[in-house]
Amino acid sequence: MAVTTPTQGELATSEGPGAGKFIYRFLRSIPTWALWLLVLVWSIPTLGLFANSFRTRDAQGASGWWSLLNDPQGLSLENYSDVMAAQVGGGVANALLNSLAIAIPATVIPIAIAAFAAYAFAWIDFRGREWLFIVTVALLAIPLQTSLIPLLQLFAGGGHWTIPFLDKTITFFPDLNLAGSVTAVWLTHTGFGLPFAIFLLHNYISGLPRDVFESARIDGADHFTMFWRLVLPLSVPVLAAFAIFQFLWTYNDYLIALTMIGGNGEAWPVTIRIASLAGEFGTREHLLAAGAFISTVIPLIVFFSLQRFFVRGILAGSVKG
């Protein structure tokens, strides 16, 4: 009697609730051309912004970008040259360097710390491990907006607690005079990026085959050796996926940078720098489209360099079997 192994699609349609079958069949029934149509519709605003980046201020105010379909004349690189030549806040080139000075440490440091923490939560048995992991993941629920001003006060003057009945002041955070600096921004991004990084990496690392770790222990490997020789090479997809998320978030951030840096124009990242191009009364708002596309060059390079790991990494730990 021949035994046949069902495919993944057959398992998906033969097992599980009726809603799952319906969703699976519905997705399978969508033709490819409909998906491409959806992509085109989703891309229309970006195409319009790109078209306006080559149009003058008068042309942008007189008609919509779609008028280029009938009259493609009058396109120029003047907006791009004006953006690169503008020197408000130190210029676009300096702002791009500031953005990299924020995004690179705020991406590398959380990955390094979270990888060690995720391995410890997944494969090191210590007391209180479950509760500590729950507390760490619960930090994801803390609103970023409610924490910015207290963090700014810590960076500006340190943290002090006065004990009333002892008439004594305890300093629990020193005054590092970080307000208005790039360091304050990437420290904030690092703190808020760690809980998600630990959660994502833990889901992946805990799903690695146990036999591999048992074989390594038999060969005399300690925890650091297993982490360095086994976990890191096997976790490249999820590390790359988090690196994409964290880099794009920190690079495109505006609120944290504006709060922590304030009026220090020399430390402005590219997001604040581009927002300042419009001028005090919006007289140069036509430059925003060109500035936006200049700022997207670096994120596009990062994404397409790591995109082959993206799908594998984002699904890390979602299915175990």
Side-chain angles (χ1 to χ4, degrees):
M1 179 178 180
V3 178
T4 59
T5 303
T7 63
Q8 184 176 358
E10 292 172 344
L11 288 174
T13 55
S14 61
E15 299 179 2
K21 295 180 181 179
F22 174 77
I23 294 174
Y24 177 79
R25 291 171 181 171
F26 174 75
L27 294 177
R28 287 292 301 270
S29 65
I30 299 177
T32 304
W33 64 265
L35 297 177
W36 280 111
L37 179 62
L38 181 63
V39 171
L40 178 61
V41 172
W42 190 268
S43 303
I44 286 177
T46 304
L47 295 175
L49 187 69
F50 182 68
N52 269 337
S53 68
F54 295 99
R55 304 175 72 204
T56 63
R57 182 174 185 270
D58 294 337
Q60 292 182 22
S63 61
W65 64 268
W66 51 86
S67 62
L68 291 175
L69 300 176
N70 298 325
D71 183 18
Q73 303 296 324
L75 300 180
S76 69
L77 297 174
E78 181 180 355
N79 292 341
Y80 287 93
S81 62
D82 289 345
V83 169
M84 296 304 297
Q87 292 299 318
V88 179
V92 172
N94 183 68
L96 288 172
L97 294 177
N98 290 337
S99 293
L100 292 177
I102 293 171
I104 292 177
T107 301
V108 175
I109 295 176
I111 289 178
I113 298 176
F116 282 103
Y119 174 80
F121 283 129
W123 295 104
I124 299 179
D125 188 14
F126 58 91
R127 187 175 182 180
R129 179 180 63 173
E130 292 80 6
W131 284 106
L132 184 58
F133 180 72
I134 292 174
V135 171
T136 302
V137 175
L139 294 175
L140 290 169
I142 297 179
L144 170 66
Q145 294 79 4
T146 62
S147 307
L148 291 182
I149 300 304
L151 282 175
L152 180 60
Q153 293 174 342
L154 287 179
F155 293 148
H160 311 280
W161 179 41
T162 301
I163 304 177
F165 55 89
L166 294 179
D167 194 20
K168 184 178 180 181
T169 300
I170 299 177
T171 300
F172 58 88
F173 192 89
D175 182 8
L176 302 179
N177 194 24
L178 297 178
S181 65
V182 169
T183 305
V185 184
W186 64 254
L187 280 177
T188 304
H189 281 300
T190 298
F192 280 96
L194 273 174
F196 176 68
I198 294 174
F199 174 73
L200 182 66
L201 296 179
H202 171 268
N203 285 351
Y204 185 88
I205 294 175
S206 62
L208 295 176
R210 181 177 296 272
D211 295 342
V212 176
F213 294 93
E214 292 178 352
S215 300
R217 291 192 187 98
I218 293 175
D219 292 337
D222 55 10
H223 282 296
F224 181 80
T225 302
M226 289 188 291
F227 173 79
W228 188 257
R229 300 282 185 176
L230 297 177
V231 174
L232 285 186
L234 294 173
S235 303
V236 170
V238 69
L239 293 175
F242 174 76
I244 292 175
F245 276 121
Q246 184 71 359
F247 184 89
L248 295 181
W249 176 45
T250 55
Y251 183 89
N252 293 319
D253 168 71
Y254 178 83
L255 178 62
I256 295 178
L258 183 63
T259 303
M260 296 299 170
I261 296 177
N264 184 10
E266 293 297 325
W268 280 354
V270 70
T271 49
I272 301 179
R273 174 68 185 86
I274 290 175
S276 69
L277 292 175
E280 186 174 355
F281 299 102
T283 56
R284 295 167 60 85
E285 61 184 1
H286 62 287
L287 299 179
L288 295 180
F293 273 92
I294 291 176
S295 69
T296 59
V297 173
I298 294 178
L300 286 177
I301 293 174
V302 172
F303 179 80
F304 285 110
S305 299
L306 302 176
Q307 59 88 23
R308 61 195 179 105
F309 301 109
F310 186 73
V311 175
R312 285 187 293 164
I314 199 59
L315 294 177
S318 60
V319 178
K320 292 184 180 179

